[in-house]
Amino acid sequence: MAYYIILFVITAVLAWTNSDNKKISKSIFFCFCLSLSLFVGLADMLGGYDRYIYSEVFQSMHENVVKGILFSEEFIMYFGKEPVFGLINDLIAFFTPNRYVFILVYTIFLYMVYAVSFYRYTRNPFFALLIFEGLMFFFTFTYLRQVLAAGVIWLAIPYVAQRNFKKYLLFILLATLIHNSAVYMILLYFIPRRKFEKKYIVLFMLTLLLIGVSGITKLIFSISGDFVSNARIAEYANTAEIGFRFEYVVEAVFFLIILLFNYKRINEDELSVTIINVYLMFCGVLLFFCESSDGGRIAWYCLIGIIVILERLCRPKSAVALKGFITVMCFVLFYRILSAWGILLYPYKTFLTPGIRQGDFIEEAYEYDHAYDNDKLYNL
C-alpha cells in the first residue's frame, strides 16, 4: 500500500510546487506520466480478473496474426463490435504473444494519450493528474478498453468548441469502436455552447435524478443492447437492478456545488463553455444512472471536464483553500479505492520478479497459463 501512497504524495508535491502561472515543461510532465504508466504497466496482473480475460484473448490472437490473418474467427467473436481495440491487440501480438509486454505497451500508449489532454487543457497538468489519480487512476489497471476510449474522447473536445463536426464524429467513431459505450458522447456536440443560468442547471439535474430513480436506466440498456445486438450493453441492464448508488448522487452534488459557487470565475470563451458542458454531463450521467453500478464507468468520458474546471478554479493564489480541499478530497477517494480493492492492488509486485503473490484469489481463479508463474517472459 505504501508504494501507492508515495506515488500520490509525489504527484501532490509536484502539483503544489508548480503553482505559478508559468507553463510546466512538456518533457518533465511527459516523463512523469511515462513513469506512472510504468508503475501501472509493470504490475503483475494487479487490478482484478479483467487483466486475465484480456490477456487470454490477446494470446489467442497471436497464432492467426503471425499467419497474416488479421480478422480471424476469434477476432470477429471477441472484437466484432469493437474492432479498433482488436486491431491494437493484433498489432502487439504480431511481435509477441507475451501478455506482460501487451499490457505494458498498451498502458504506456494509454498514459501518453492522457498526458496530451492534461497538458493541452491545463496550466498545471500535475494538478490535473492529481485529480485523475483520485477519480480514475486505479481503473486503468483493469478496464483496458473503456479507459482508452475515454482518452480518445478527451482529445476530441476542441472540435466541439470549433464546431468541426466531421473531426469530432471521427473521434467518436474511433472511441466507439474501442468501447461501444462511447457513442453517447455524440450528444455533447448538440448541447448549446453557452453558460446556462444556475436555476436551470439545478432543475435539469433534479430531473435527471428523478428519471434515474424511476428505473428507466434498465430499459435504456436493454433497448440499446438489442438495437445494436450487443450482449455486453444488454447485460448492463442487470447492473441497473443493483439498487440506489448513494455515492453517485453525493459525488454529482458535490461537484455541482463547487461549480455553481464559482460559476462567475469561469471564462465564456468557446472552449471553456464546452468544458463546462462536459463537466455538467459528468454530473448528469451520475444522477441519471444512480440505479446502476456502471454509472461511474459511463461517466469517465466526461471526467476531463471535472479535471480541467477544477484545475482552473484552483490556479489563483486566492484559491489556496479550495486547492487544499480538492487535494484532500482526491486523497480520500484514492485511499478509499486502494483500501477497498485490497489484495487486487497490494502488496504491489511487478512482473520483473518470478513467482505469484500469496493469497491472490483472482490469480487462483483466473490464471490460464501457469508457465508464467516462474518465468514471466517465457514466451517472449
Side-chain angles (χ1 to χ4, degrees):
M1 180 183 288
Y3 292 121
Y4 296 96
I5 295 177
I6 291 172
L7 180 66
F8 185 90
V9 170
I10 292 174
T11 306
V13 170
L14 290 170
W16 278 81
T17 54
N18 292 279
S19 58
D20 55 23
N21 289 322
K22 294 180 180 180
K23 189 70 171 181
I24 294 170
S25 168
K26 182 183 295 186
S27 59
I28 293 176
F29 178 69
F30 274 74
C31 284
F32 185 78
C33 287
L34 176 61
S35 300
L36 197 60
S37 71
L38 292 175
F39 182 86
V40 177
L42 289 171
D44 189 357
M45 305 306 283
L46 304 184
Y49 69 88
D50 291 68
R51 276 206 180 195
Y52 288 97
I53 304 301
Y54 285 126
S55 296
E56 187 173 10
V57 171
F58 166 76
Q59 287 187 214
S60 70
M61 297 292 104
H62 176 71
E63 292 185 7
N64 290 316
V65 172
V66 295
K67 294 177 183 178
I69 305 174
L70 293 181
F71 301 100
S72 61
E73 290 185 8
E74 289 86 355
F75 183 99
I76 301 301
M77 179 174 66
Y78 293 121
F79 309 120
K81 297 292 190 301
E82 293 153 341
V84 171
F85 181 73
L87 289 173
I88 295 173
N89 277 254
D90 280 353
L91 177 61
I92 303 175
F94 179 79
F95 297 98
T96 178
N98 186 273
R99 73 188 186 191
Y100 292 106
V101 174
F102 163 61
I103 292 175
L104 177 60
V105 172
Y106 187 92
T107 305
I108 291 173
F109 173 68
L110 171 69
Y111 273 82
M112 291 303 100
V113 170
Y114 288 167
V116 171
S117 292
F118 295 156
Y119 195 83
R120 176 187 295 175
Y121 303 139
T122 65
R123 193 168 296 164
N124 185 353
F126 285 114
F127 194 72
L129 202 57
L130 180 78
I131 300 169
F132 165 81
E133 289 179 3
L135 295 173
M136 191 174 170
F137 169 68
F138 289 115
F139 301 108
T140 63
F141 279 84
T142 183
Y143 297 111
L144 302 187
R145 289 176 304 117
Q146 201 162 3
V147 292
L148 179 58
V152 172
I153 293 293
W154 296 357
L155 294 174
I157 301 302
Y159 298 122
V160 177
Q162 298 165 12
R163 308 312 291 164
N164 191 329
F165 183 70
K166 290 183 179 179
K167 288 187 177 180
Y168 184 65
L169 180 61
L170 180 63
F171 276 85
I172 291 292
L173 291 174
L174 180 62
T176 301
L177 295 179
I178 295 173
H179 198 284
N180 292 161
S181 63
V183 69
Y184 84 91
M185 285 302 293
I186 191 67
L187 298 175
L188 174 64
Y189 192 87
F190 302 101
I191 299 176
R193 289 174 302 148
R194 61 184 179 86
K195 291 180 72 173
F196 300 96
E197 292 185 37
K198 294 181 182 180
K199 61 181 179 181
Y200 293 126
I201 293 176
V202 173
L203 181 61
F204 186 67
M205 293 297 167
L206 287 174
T207 302
L208 289 177
L209 177 59
L210 291 175
I211 295 174
V213 298
S214 71
I216 198 172
T217 305
K218 176 180 173 61
L219 179 62
I220 290 175
F221 280 141
S222 298
I223 293 175
S224 59
D226 293 339
F227 179 74
V228 299
S229 300
N230 191 316
R232 189 182 300 110
I233 294 177
E235 286 176 1
Y236 286 162
N238 296 326
T239 70
E241 297 178 338
I242 199 168
F244 185 69
R245 297 299 297 268
F246 181 72
E247 63 271 27
Y248 286 177
V249 177
V250 171
E251 188 173 348
V253 171
F254 174 78
F255 286 126
L256 281 172
I257 290 174
I258 292 178
L259 176 68
L260 297 180
F261 269 83
N262 297 277
Y263 206 43
K264 292 182 179 180
R265 295 175 50 199
I266 303 174
N267 296 331
E268 296 189 30
D269 60 279
E270 293 183 348
L271 181 59
S272 296
V273 171
T274 300
I275 294 294
I276 291 174
N277 286 341
V278 179
Y279 187 111
L280 292 173
M281 281 187 69
F282 178 87
C283 299
V285 168
L286 288 182
L287 294 174
F288 187 76
F289 291 104
C290 64
E291 291 278 348
S292 171
S293 65
D294 289 300
R297 291 168 57 187
I298 296 170
W300 288 344
Y301 302 104
C302 307
L303 185 61
I304 192 66
I306 300 293
I307 292 172
V308 174
I309 292 297
L310 292 183
E311 186 274 337
R312 291 186 179 185
L313 292 177
C314 293
R315 279 182 198 170
K317 294 182 179 179
S318 59
V320 171
L322 177 61
K323 187 175 182 179
F325 179 74
I326 296 298
T327 301
V328 172
M329 176 203 72
C330 288
F331 177 75
V332 170
L333 294 173
F334 182 89
Y335 185 80
R336 172 179 170 269
I337 298 176
L338 179 60
S339 59
W341 285 21
I343 189 64
L344 301 183
L345 293 170
Y346 60 86
Y348 179 81
K349 178 186 178 302
T350 73
F351 66 77
L352 300 178
T353 58
I356 59 177
R357 299 183 307 148
Q358 295 300 314
D360 188 348
F361 64 91
I362 295 295
E363 187 275 336
E364 295 172 0
Y366 290 94
E367 180 57 79
Y368 58 89
D369 186 352
H370 285 285
Y372 282 118
D373 290 359
N374 296 311
D375 186 357
K376 308 299 183 181
L377 303 177
Y378 85 92
N379 59 347
L380 189 60

